[in-house]
Amino acid sequence: MTRKPSPKINKNNRIIAALSAVLLLMIALGVYLLLGSENPAPEAEPQSSETEETASQLPEVETATELASMIANAKTHVYTLYTDLEQGSGFLINTEGDILTNAHVVLDASYITVKNSDGQEFNGNIIGISDTQDLAIVRVNELAGKEPLEIEMVPVDIGTPVVAIGSPGDQSNTATTGEITATDLDFVDQFEYTGLYEMNAEIAQGSSGGPLIAADTGKILGINSIILEEKPGSGYAIPLYSVWDQLTEWVENPIPIEEEEIVLQDVKDAYFADDLLEDFIAAYYELIPYSLNDAESSYYLSYILPGSEAVGEATELVEEYASEGRIYDTVEPAITAVEINENSATVEAEAQFTYHEEVSGESSTISHEGVYTVVIDEYGDYQIENIVNE
């Protein structure tokens, strides 16, 4: 097991890629509380062709359960990056194992360690980095073949609801919600920033390189990059549609890496832990109501081992609980037992699904008990191999 290096902050750098406190998102009955703290930041003033100050909110149709489902699905594609100089975030952008992050996260790094939400660590190598734009791509060979989230390739408007995900203070997969409050922001400091999105979903130190996701579609809009001292409650993201050509060029023509230049760390293999397993199964439950309300959604399958018996068992449960005119509002899971074996783990859980009838408004609950067999796949992610629905 390798102890993670403590991130160092260059106090002379006027751009701070994130705030200094851990932000926690609490999703409960549709109320979202954002906690943050102030940090030093650059003095540069952004020039905007269009700005608008609005309250952080989500569309009325976006319930707490739906948002939790989207976040639970997205977090399996977001990673924490460690170097000898910094700690930041990144996310998968293709099936080549390529993770997009900010250039300032990996600049001048002697090594890069990439960690997923289940504790698996990988060695990463830079295949593309800019000295003018705050962008870099880190390739992890072991992640080749894993599907990324869909990317939005057209601009979005002010008022678009968003979720910012990252690892502030080394707290992986922390999420904050808000909306786009301005577009087309430009300024120059250590890097040139053009066409930025401004959002009131706060980002924090360590969140640099994480994805900005549209809360209504689940598509990645941009890469969270900076804050400004004069607006500590706002974050700024580089839209992916505006830099996709550059990213594609790096992927197709990666920087050649000499073997003697590679510094491999003693990375930690994936492992089972009670708290990680509890979080994993709880997140799986959060995906179910979204699929019950939307027949086109199958987010829950991202937690299921492809080709396993669990695929059919999970699908049967969704089909059994789904009913026309029934709207699921919340799910409250509780883990009752965890047993860790050599190559798998067994998790027992209970859950209360609350729904209301669309016409009458009458509310009801369904109690569920399940026993889950969890394994670790080739990408180091937890996956459900078998389900016994009771």
Side-chain angles (χ1 to χ4, degrees):
M1 182 182 299
T2 303
R3 184 176 67 85
K4 302 297 181 300
S6 299
K8 299 179 181 178
I9 305 302
N10 183 350
K11 296 182 180 179
N12 294 321
N13 182 356
R14 296 185 300 158
I15 294 183
I16 300 297
L19 304 171
S20 62
V22 175
L23 298 175
L24 299 176
L25 170 68
M26 299 182 64
I27 304 176
L29 301 176
V31 179
Y32 306 94
L33 301 179
L34 301 178
L35 303 178
S37 64
E38 298 183 354
N39 282 297
E43 299 174 358
E45 287 284 351
Q47 300 300 316
S48 174
S49 61
E50 182 177 25
T51 60
E52 178 179 323
E53 295 294 331
T54 57
S56 174
Q57 60 183 15
L58 294 171
E60 292 181 2
V61 297
E62 194 71 26
T63 68
T65 299
E66 290 170 339
L67 186 62
S69 296
M70 188 273 291
I71 293 172
N73 179 64
K75 79 172 191 175
T76 61
H77 302 80
V78 181
Y79 298 83
T80 304
L81 277 61
Y82 302 92
T83 76
D84 51 325
L85 302 174
E86 293 281 354
Q87 177 261 307
S89 307
F91 56 94
L92 201 63
I93 59 170
N94 57 29
T95 57
E96 302 298 319
D98 294 335
I99 294 173
L100 180 62
T101 188
N102 286 127
H104 74 258
V105 171
V106 296
L107 185 65
D108 297 327
S110 298
Y111 65 85
I112 302 171
T113 300
V114 177
K115 185 176 76 172
N116 70 7
S117 59
D118 297 322
Q120 168 74 69
E121 296 177 347
F122 309 93
N123 282 293
N125 293 302
I126 296 173
I127 65 164
I129 188 168
S130 175
D131 56 3
T132 58
Q133 294 178 296
D134 197 3
L135 298 167
I137 293 180
V138 174
R139 177 162 290 176
V140 176
N141 293 328
E142 292 87 344
L143 296 180
K146 184 173 181 178
E147 293 290 337
L149 293 176
E150 188 175 356
I151 294 172
E152 181 60 77
M153 297 305 293
V154 296
V156 297
D157 299 325
I158 289 175
T160 298
V162 295
V163 177
I165 301 179
S167 302
D170 200 14
Q171 299 295 310
S172 64
N173 288 303
T174 297
T176 57
T177 62
E179 62 182 28
I180 300 294
T181 54
T183 60
D184 297 327
L185 298 168
D186 301 329
F187 64 89
V188 178
D189 199 274
Q190 179 184 4
F191 296 96
E192 296 177 5
Y193 295 91
T194 60
L196 298 181
Y197 290 136
E198 178 187 82
M199 70 279 193
N200 54 14
E202 298 183 40
I203 55 177
Q205 183 174 316
S207 293
S208 297
L212 180 68
I213 300 175
D216 52 355
T217 67
K219 295 181 181 180
I220 299 177
L221 303 179
I223 174 173
N224 302 320
S225 301
I226 57 171
I227 64 165
L228 300 179
E229 184 178 37
E230 58 269 27
K231 298 190 72 173
S234 296
Y236 297 86
I238 302 170
L240 291 192
Y241 77 86
S242 67
V243 296
W244 194 252
D245 288 345
Q246 175 63 79
L247 302 180
T248 301
E249 172 65 23
W250 287 340
V251 171
E252 295 177 349
N253 300 284
I255 297 173
I257 302 172
E258 300 296 334
E259 187 171 347
E260 60 269 19
E261 295 177 353
I262 300 176
V263 179
L264 298 179
Q265 296 300 296
D266 183 17
V267 297
K268 180 167 55 180
D269 290 334
Y271 62 97
F272 291 118
D274 286 9
D275 57 342
L276 294 176
L277 288 163
E278 290 175 7
D279 290 345
F280 174 74
I281 294 300
Y284 166 74
Y285 270 109
E286 290 175 346
L287 297 173
I288 300 298
Y290 195 50
S291 297
L292 292 172
N293 292 334
D294 181 2
E296 299 299 319
S297 170
S298 57
Y299 279 165
Y300 66 92
L301 290 179
S302 64
Y303 280 52
I304 304 294
L305 185 68
S308 68
E309 294 181 358
V311 174
E313 293 155 350
T315 301
E316 287 178 8
L317 178 70
V318 170
E319 292 175 349
E320 177 185 349
Y321 284 9
S323 177
E324 186 174 353
R326 179 182 293 179
I327 307 298
Y328 282 84
D329 302 307
T330 62
V331 59
E332 298 180 8
I335 309 303
T336 57
V338 176
E339 180 181 346
I340 297 176
N341 306 306
E342 183 176 357
N343 297 314
S344 65
T346 302
V347 181
E348 298 180 19
E350 300 174 349
Q352 294 285 331
F353 292 89
T354 301
Y355 67 89
H356 69 272
E357 298 295 341
E358 189 172 16
V359 176
S360 67
E362 182 180 354
S363 295
S364 301
T365 61
I366 297 176
S367 297
H368 174 265
E369 295 182 6
V371 180
Y372 301 87
T373 301
V374 181
V375 296
I376 298 173
D377 69 8
E378 67 268 34
Y379 306 118
D381 295 324
Y382 287 175
Q383 295 274 268
I384 299 172
E385 184 181 48
N386 187 61
I387 303 173
V388 178
N389 293 310
E390 300 178 350

